[in-house]
Amino acid sequence: MYGVKAGSCLIVVALSISVVACNGHEIARRLDFNQDVQPILASRCFSCHGPDPEMRKAGLRLDLAEWATKKREGRRDAIVPGHPEKSELVKRIESRDPHYLMPQTALGEAKPMGAYEIAVLREWIKQGAVYRPHWAFEVPTRPAMPHDIGSDPWVKNPIDSFILAKLKKEGLEPSPEADKPTLIRRVTLDLTGLLPTPDEVQAFVADSSADAYEHLVDRLLTQSTFGEQRARYWLDYARYADTYGLHYDNSRDIWPYRDYVIRSFNGNKPFDQFAREQIAGDLMPMKNLDPLIGSGYVRLGVSSNEGGTIPEELRVNIARERTEAFGATFMGLTVGCAVCHDHKFDPTTQHDFYALSAFFNNIDEKPFNDDRPVWAPVVRVPKADQADAYNRVLSHRSQLQEKLNAMQFDGGKSVGEWLAFHKNPARAVSTSGLIVRLRLDEGRGDQLRNSAPNANAGSFKTTTMKPEWGETTWLWPDFRMQSSTRVLLGQTADYEATHAFSAGGWFMFRSAPFHPGSFGTLLSKMESTEHDRGWELSADENGTLTVALVHQAPKKGKPKKKEEKKAPAEKPLVAKEPFNYPTPQDLTKKDLASNKPPEQLKAEKEEEQRAKAKAKAKAKAEAKKKKSEASATPDESLTEVSVRVVAVKPLSLDNSWKHIFFTYDGSGRASGVKVYVDGVQVATRVLQDNLSQASIRTDAPLQLGWRNPDEHPAKDARYQDIRLYARTLAPDEVNRLPFEDYVAEIATHPSAEWTHDQSHIVTAFYLSYMDPTWQRIQREMAYLDEQLDRLSAGGDLTLVSSEKPTISYAHVLTRGVYTARTERVEADTPHFLPPLPADVPRNRLALAKWTTSPENPLTGRVTVNRMWYELFGTGLVETTEDFGIMGQRPTHPELLDWLAVEFHDSGWNVKHMYKLMVMSATYRQSSKANSKQLARDPSNVLLSRGARFRMDAEMVRDVALESGGLLVEKIGGPSVKPYQPPNIWEQVSYPTSDTVRYVQEHADSLHRRSMYSYVKRMAPLPNMDAFDAPARDMVCTRRQRTDTPLQALVTMNDVQWVEAARALAERVIREAGPLPEERINRMSLILLARVPSPQMAAVLEKSFREMKEHFAGNPKDARSLVNLGETRRDSSIPEPELAAWTMVASEMLNLDETITK
Amino acid sequence: MKHHPLCSDCEDKITPMDLPIPDGLKQEWAVSESRRQFLGRCGKVLGWASLATLFGEASVRHLVRAAGSNLQAGVGGNTLGLPHFAPKAKRAIYLFMSGAPPQVDLFDYKPNLVFQFDKDMPASVRGNQQLTGMTSGQARFPVAPSHWPFSRHGQTGTWISDLLPYTARMVDDLTFIKSTNTDAINHEPAIMLMNTGNMNAGKPCLGAWLAYGLGSMNNNLPTFVVLQTKTNPKENNQPVSSRLWSSGFLSSEFSGVGLRSVGDPVLYLEDPPGVDRGTRRKMLDAVEEINRQTLAEVGDPETNSRIAQYEMAFRMQSSVPELTDLSKEPASTWDLYGPEAKEPGTFAYNCLLARRLAERGVRFTQVYKRGWDVHDNVVGMLPVLCQETDRGCYALVTDLKRRGFLDDTLVIWAGEFGRTVYSQGGLSQENYGRDHHPRCFTTWMTGGGVRPGVTYGETDDYSYNVVKDPVHVRDFNATILHCLGIDHNKFAYRFQGLDQKLSSPVPAFVVQGILG
């Protein structure tokens, strides 16, 4: 018998404890570490003696048994199991000496524990100080039903057994079932978000069959409003909004995701599939676009395009946001706490956080959203009439993609066979004439090694500003020039025009917002102050490549155009790009305009016309000027003498890696220059061809990214494997440069020694260049892609995810600062949870499968808990977003586990779970409380009665619209803009934002369900905001439920509610008899599903008479009131009468009971 | 002594019955106290707690604490016990200069820069600083000295740009901090950091912290009011967003309430056309009667709260129009604030409104003035910006002073960062631009808690680096809290298992050198 007196009831820890302690009972039971002990240790000790090593004091860690009982040099034992009197911990917490006493704050201030806490810790140590893993990290098993409960007539399903067992333990009885009107209103609101119609109420009340309620529930579960209601919650969990949320806060196209969510719930898509599609739909097999549209989930968070933003900062923030969102929604963990340091309470380390973030760090997107509604990657959703044809092609493509994935997966094996068969089948490019090879794989520092065998200079030092390393990986972790970094290569390649040479390498441009100047010089030995003498490889803002060999050029002038030679038609690609991934769809101007208000479109059109006119005028003026110049004496020094060759087809302006190379034969002729992209010669045009033998030599140094002196930069560009040969490379050599040459080099080492990056490259090379099957499938897919484009023409665009072909990784950042990189970590799941299978690619698909695997202890619990929260107002774990150590303990742990296992065993059947919950006797209880329940279960944690709470914002509005018959029954589609007071957007927005002006829509758009209202993150709809609707800046898994005067102002005065009140008034006048009581009854039936009590009816009747009298005497007021809103009033009803009924309806709409579920 | 009804481990047991509040409110308290056993889980208490706003500041903090704490807070949490010490200021007005004013053209006088015109700023001054994407590609960083002369003012002889003749008149009342500095270099993160102590969204702003911690001093007006100044379309108006006045993880009732110059001053305040006050009263009487029936029948304390909120809404409907009715302002007001103050939405109008809010006991008023983002055309735009704001600032401070409110009102003037001394874009004798600069900027405070006539902190010759007494945003906020009687280290709210603070997580220090 364990016996400890609990001294007082000062501290309420968790329910089970508070009951024990506050009733002054003795602790006469075996303590449970998770229930009783860990909450005390966590809140009182872990901030200094927990998982975070930075904060740890005295080397003592109390969250793990092996640490807590470990000998520490020169210190007394903190915990001696079985011996509280020998345990330093007990001495400290019981001490009265303020310097010795624990716990203390970080500032050294004593914060003594309460008597109960001390008693528990003492007793726990006495019982052997047994640790257990945190409850939520253990896989749930189906608990046994509480015995002796099953036969109780109150019990309707297993949920009730658990609830009843606990009630009995606390000496309580459950409440009787609510009356039928209450029940149908409650369950209809919960399952559809809307009211039952009076007919439905009457039919249900009249149905005396035993399964009347079940029939009702089954019917509600098949209504399409069920999917809307579930989606409304899910959009909070997924942080859905219609704008980007930062700076311009521009619109974005992602509403098809919302339709996808509704569709998924209505189709009762198994939750595991639903979750997997959102995390990694782009990597899954597809029969239709749903998985891909669902993957828009990843990209729902806020993003920016602020002008001065530093790309790396943005990229880090985006990955962080996605990781935190994933943590909150799917894992129920506050992983974001580990951004800066190891989590103070949970075992989540910083390493865990960044490894998890790596999954979200590999999306094929620019960090800037360009302030355009379509931030690639996006997909075009086919129109309904093309959907079938589209889906057939899509599934075919998907099958091919699966084949490719399998080939990729087995790539190591294929490569092995290939290598075994040929000794080194990849052919290296001769290093003859190679004088510069900057691999740029140093990974750190400012010294760049020249690894060319014939190099004059062995290394170069960067100047001005240090470069950035390893932000992305291509052949190896890459090198980026900070905007002010200079790489001066001295007098390397100091050639005359008669000298043959070739140069280029791997480049990746970063187009920062407003700064297309990220395109510019790639490689240059040119002196630009006098006559631009020298040679250069560059790209302009349109992505057009130019190779120039210049003797002299007119300063600040355009090269004079000579007659253009027709370039030969571009040859078909001999090999496709070595990696395969979806390219962003072609976006037209029309796509970009879709979300702009018509006024703005008009203004832009006018602006465009003005600009055109201006350009025309300018051209005219220039022509005139030219004419006058031509008549003047020509300045000989301005004559251009050069060779200039440009590529016909511009490079795409995305942030992909491109291998860019040119060869020159020393002929002094344009025909001697060949330009290659990704190893393939591209068609060129000749702009200038009069160099002949004129000198191109200059003192200017050879420079990466800049022309000398500092001009025409390719800002923030990335480079890898830059080469310069003092000879003309043959086409087949250039063809091998991007990959084969490198693969040949790797293959000289045994494959066991290859790094992960190297294996990846060799496999990719083998498949793309050597494997005929792979090549055939690629060609086939290209054909299918064309078909898909055609079949989706005119469809809507939506943001989706698309994985880059490279390896997912991230850097651990000291204190979360994006520049303070430490370790590079590959994607992985947190160490304290089940591991990923060893041999799967570490990408989002692996994460998605892991999330929904039976071994995952969190997903099921977290999800059923949120279902419970939706129906009962509070989760079994109150902190729906935090199942970690600092989160709430479940009030009914066995029930939670039972539900989680049931969810899994049912095949993640969502409707089954909702049905189970609403069919329970627990759910059906009356919410009226008796005095015993109030005394013993004041806050209804034990569920001794039905839940009663205010509806969410959207429901409050939808119910008002529905009651007046205004609600438009239409599922899905783009967001709408209903009534909103003036100057909400205008007063906060950036003036050139496309959401600077709120252009209210009309007709149906005014009365759609609130879940379709446009969400601008910087200025959410104020009437929804007043009722605690979140701004969707971040995940919200449980809303606050406040009660403020601003809410009263909304429901009394907002035109939507006044219009709804009038419509409700008209409806009862139309539907009910002429007597006031008949109309009041009808109103009550509509809103409350019941006839009013005599007292209530009396109040309303009296009010009606007063109002009628008032408006009869003030006909102008009556007219003003009934004409509010855009729906036309029923003119057959006299205005004073309608006004009076409108006020009565408004009273009804403002009742506590009306807005409460 | 009785336990505080909502406070399971409350040590300073206060009963509202002992507080100097109207008897009617005590009665309401009694009703609710008799139902205190209904209280419990977070959601319900939150609603219930707002009822307590009726009781004023003394009791709200305890109610709110109970509301905010979920169960684990009962283990480690301590009572708010605010203020921690006798406050110098009871309320604060924050004039927020969004977009970032150029300190070197307004306050941070660097006479020697004229000799540096168009010379490159030494690389040693810039160091290895990460620049914004807007100037990082510039090949040169030419020094642009201020276009305007400075002169000395007041007994303190403080140097002020001639662009600010009104501010110049009150320099002896002001406390300048020339060494304010921040971590963020772009608007979005910087403005979040300045307002909420964190660059990422989701944390409560200063006003919400004060509303949470100190509560209301007026039963009929919001505790925390936000005023937006009408934008001047010629200016570069960086956006602001509702998350700047959001309550973050605190209950949303502590969010700032916008007082607007267009439409209803408070959203949905006005009764619909055709509904006069008498009709509204009758309607509310009927609603209340039925709600009382519901309360009797179901016994949910939430219903009780709703009844109270409807009454408060009704009172707000009269108190807010009274607040914004400037017709009774004496002629001296217009002499002071100038004719612009009559036009709703101007900065001067907002300053006048801020004074009226302070008089009525509104705890925290934040006035936003956008447009300071002068990347180019400083010479063209800065005089406009100064003309728009200079007189209003002076009028507000002077008005508070002459009405005896300055002693217990803290007035704060700040943007989110400073601007570079080197020119962004082309520099000429006639014009220049300035990019974002986080390493130093000038802010000022005056009134309750701070010492007048002080200039604190110094920057180098280029107004680029702080060389003496740096004041980080964290310290700045900690100092504001201090003036309002709050120890920033103790002012925490437990969220996600952590004691979240306005100034956390890096240590912050009250700037002792400016305290009065």
Side-chain angles (χ1 to χ4, degrees), chain A residues 43 111 117 245 247 306 308 345 483 888 938 982 987-990 1018 1028 1033 1040 1043 1045 1053 1150 1152, chain B residues 37 50 72 75 78 133 136 186-188 236 238 240 243 250 252 260 268 280 303 305-306 309-310 370 497:
Chain A
S43 62
K111 292 265 179 180
E117 291 171 297
H247 202 236
E306 187 176 340
F345 305 100
S483 38
Q888 288 295 308
Q987 74 169 0
V988 297
S989 300
Y990 198 88
M1018 277 193 167
D1028 304 311
D1033 287 350
Q1040 296 182 329
D1043 185 4
N1053 298 335
N1150 275 282
D1152 177 69
Chain B
Q37 63 269 40
S50 55
Q72 82 261 14
V75 179
N78 55 350
S136 57
N186 281 300
H187 297 287
E188 282 285 358
N236 186 13
Q238 287 297 324
V240 290
R243 66 180 88 90
L250 297 173
S252 45
R260 298 147 41 84
Y268 312 113
R280 174 60 73 217
T303 312
S305 165
R306 191 147 290 122
Q309 298 305 342
Y310 271 79
R370 295 154 71 192

Side-chain angles (χ1 to χ4, degrees), chain A residues 9-13 43-44 107 109 111 117 245-247 306-310 320 334 337 344-345 465 482-484 515 706 710 715 818-819 874-875 878-879 886 888 891 927-929 934 938-941 948 950 981-984 986-991 1017-1018 1020 1022-1023 1028 1033-1034 1038 1040-1046 1048-1054 1058 1093 1095-1096 1099-1100 1103 1106-1107 1110-1111 1117 1120-1121 1124 1143 1146-1147 1150-1152 1155-1156, chain B residues 3 8-9 37-44 46-47 50 70-72 74-76 78 126 128-134 136-137 139 185-189 199-202 228 236-243 245 248-253 257 260 262-263 266-276 279-280 282-284 286-287 289-291 293-294 297-298 300 302-303 305-306 309-310 312-313 316-317 370 436 489-490 494 496-498 505:
Chain A
C9 65
L10 285 183
I11 292 139
V12 182
V13 180
S43 62
R44 303 295 242 148
L107 300 168
E109 206 182 321
K111 292 265 179 180
E117 291 171 297
L246 290 170
H247 202 236
E306 187 176 340
T309 310
I310 295 145
R320 172 183 168 170
T334 59
C337 295
K344 285 199 187 328
F345 305 100
M465 200 176 256
Q482 292 267 23
S483 38
S484 306
H515 296 281
W706 294 78
D710 300 344
K715 260 179 49 164
Y818 70 98
T819 47
T874 310
E878 187 183 322
T879 51
M886 293 311 289
Q888 288 295 308
T891 53
S927 55
K928 289 178 195 163
L934 289 175
S939 48
N940 203 19
V941 253
R948 182 183 199 276
R950 195 205 75 214
N983 209 32
I984 302 286
E986 291 80 352
Q987 74 169 0
V988 297
S989 300
Y990 198 88
R1017 282 177 158 141
M1018 277 193 167
N1023 49 13
D1028 304 311
D1033 287 350
M1034 55 188 70
R1038 59 176 169 145
Q1040 296 182 329
R1041 217 172 277 136
T1042 61
D1043 185 4
T1044 68
L1046 301 179
L1049 293 175
V1050 169
T1051 46
M1052 291 195 299
N1053 298 335
D1054 185 352
V1058 180
S1093 67
Q1095 300 96 312
M1096 179 174 164
V1099 173
L1100 292 169
S1103 182
E1106 284 174 357
M1107 293 294 177
H1110 168 77
F1111 284 114
D1117 283 353
S1120 308
L1121 181 61
L1124 203 62
M1143 287 310 291
S1146 172
E1147 285 162 16
N1150 275 282
L1151 291 183
D1152 177 69
I1155 61 172
T1156 302
Chain B
H3 276 189
S8 54
D9 59 344
Q37 63 269 40
F38 286 80
L39 303 171
R41 299 176 110 168
C42 193
K44 293 214 164 184
L46 285 177
S50 55
N70 31 35
L71 292 174
Q72 82 261 14
V75 179
N78 55 350
R126 189 157 49 88
N128 206 15
Q129 192 193 355
Q130 182 75 260
L131 303 178
T132 78
M134 285 169 289
S136 57
I185 197 166
N186 281 300
H187 297 287
E188 282 285 358
M199 283 195 238
N200 295 299
Q228 296 285 346
N236 186 13
N237 291 297
Q238 287 297 324
V240 290
S241 76
S242 58
R243 66 180 88 90
W245 46 93
F249 47 72
L250 297 173
S251 170
S252 45
E253 71 209 86
V257 173
R260 298 147 41 84
V262 177
V266 166
L267 285 167
Y268 312 113
L269 187 77
E270 205 183 326
D271 290 319
V275 177
D276 58 25
T279 310
R280 174 60 73 217
K282 280 190 208 123
M283 177 264 186
L284 280 175
V287 169
E289 208 176 330
I290 298 171
N291 281 348
Q293 289 169 11
T294 308
E297 197 186 336
V298 188
D300 185 348
E302 192 70 10
T303 312
S305 165
R306 191 147 290 122
Q309 298 305 342
Y310 271 79
M312 171 128 176
M316 269 175 74
Q317 287 188 295
R370 295 154 71 192
H436 307 168
N489 278 318
K490 291 187 189 157
R494 180 146 289 201
Q496 294 187 339
L498 285 178

Side-chain angles (χ1 to χ4, degrees), chain A residues 722-858:
Chain A
I722 302 300
R723 303 193 194 196
L724 193 138
Y725 290 84
R727 64 182 175 93
T728 315
L729 261 61
D732 80 296
E733 286 184 302
V734 185
N735 184 235
R736 301 202 307 271
L737 268 188
F739 289 105
E740 189 167 345
D741 185 53
Y742 180 54
V743 169
E745 182 184 313
I746 298 170
T748 58
H749 302 280
S751 58
E753 288 173 16
W754 298 349
T755 64
H756 195 164
D757 292 331
Q758 287 174 329
S759 312
H760 183 74
I761 287 289
V762 175
T763 307
F765 170 74
Y766 165 75
L767 293 172
S768 314
Y769 286 80
M770 299 293 159
D771 190 323
T773 316
W774 180 279
Q775 288 167 349
R776 180 180 52 74
I777 296 178
Q778 289 285 6
R779 280 194 298 274
E780 218 173 315
M781 280 175 73
Y783 170 69
L784 295 180
D785 282 343
E786 277 169 29
Q787 285 191 301
L788 289 177
D789 274 355
R790 188 170 49 75
L791 288 168
S792 61
D796 293 300
L797 291 157
T798 189
L799 271 61
V800 298
S801 295
S802 167
E803 186 81 348
K804 281 194 288 193
T806 40
I807 299 162
S808 310
Y809 70 92
H811 284 93
V812 178
L813 304 175
T814 306
R815 297 217 67 83
V817 178
Y818 70 98
T819 47
R821 281 200 224 110
T822 58
E823 189 192 351
R824 177 176 124 139
V825 289
E826 285 190 16
D828 205 353
T829 51
H831 75 279
F832 54 92
L833 292 170
L836 286 176
D839 55 352
V840 300
R842 305 265 157 142
N843 57 19
R844 278 180 291 111
L845 186 58
L847 180 68
K849 288 180 175 164
W850 174 85
T851 304
T852 53
S853 72
E855 294 80 39
N856 188 306
L858 289 164

Side-chain angles (χ1 to χ4, degrees), chain A residues 938-1074:
Chain A
S939 48
N940 203 19
V941 253
L942 299 173
L943 290 158
S944 60
R945 56 193 180 277
R948 182 183 199 276
F949 53 93
R950 195 205 75 214
M951 296 178 202
D952 284 348
E954 295 88 340
M955 285 170 77
V956 174
R957 177 172 170 271
D958 291 355
V959 159
L961 295 179
E962 186 195 13
S963 72
L966 295 173
L967 192 73
V968 175
E969 287 175 26
K970 182 189 165 206
I971 310 279
S975 296
V976 295
K977 301 194 179 90
Y979 299 112
Q980 173 172 283
N983 209 32
I984 302 286
W985 286 15
E986 291 80 352
Q987 74 169 0
V988 297
S989 300
Y990 198 88
T992 49
S993 164
D994 73 359
T995 54
V996 68
R997 293 194 50 216
Y998 186 82
V999 182
Q1000 186 217 295
E1001 295 166 4
H1002 306 282
D1004 279 3
S1005 293
L1006 295 175
H1007 302 125
R1008 297 288 305 282
R1009 289 190 77 171
S1010 308
M1011 66 180 301
Y1012 300 116
S1013 293
Y1014 193 94
V1015 180
K1016 173 177 165 71
R1017 282 177 158 141
M1018 277 193 167
L1021 282 165
N1023 49 13
M1024 298 289 102
D1025 181 51
F1027 282 96
D1028 304 311
R1032 302 265 173 80
D1033 287 350
M1034 55 188 70
V1035 171
C1036 171
T1037 62
R1038 59 176 169 145
R1039 292 188 181 187
Q1040 296 182 329
R1041 217 172 277 136
T1042 61
D1043 185 4
T1044 68
L1046 301 179
Q1047 294 169 3
L1049 293 175
V1050 169
T1051 46
M1052 291 195 299
N1053 298 335
D1054 185 352
V1055 57
Q1056 329 211 23
W1057 271 266
V1058 180
E1059 189 184 47
R1062 193 200 67 221
L1064 176 58
E1066 289 169 345
R1067 179 176 170 193
V1068 297
I1069 291 170
R1070 204 166 52 237
E1071 291 180 0

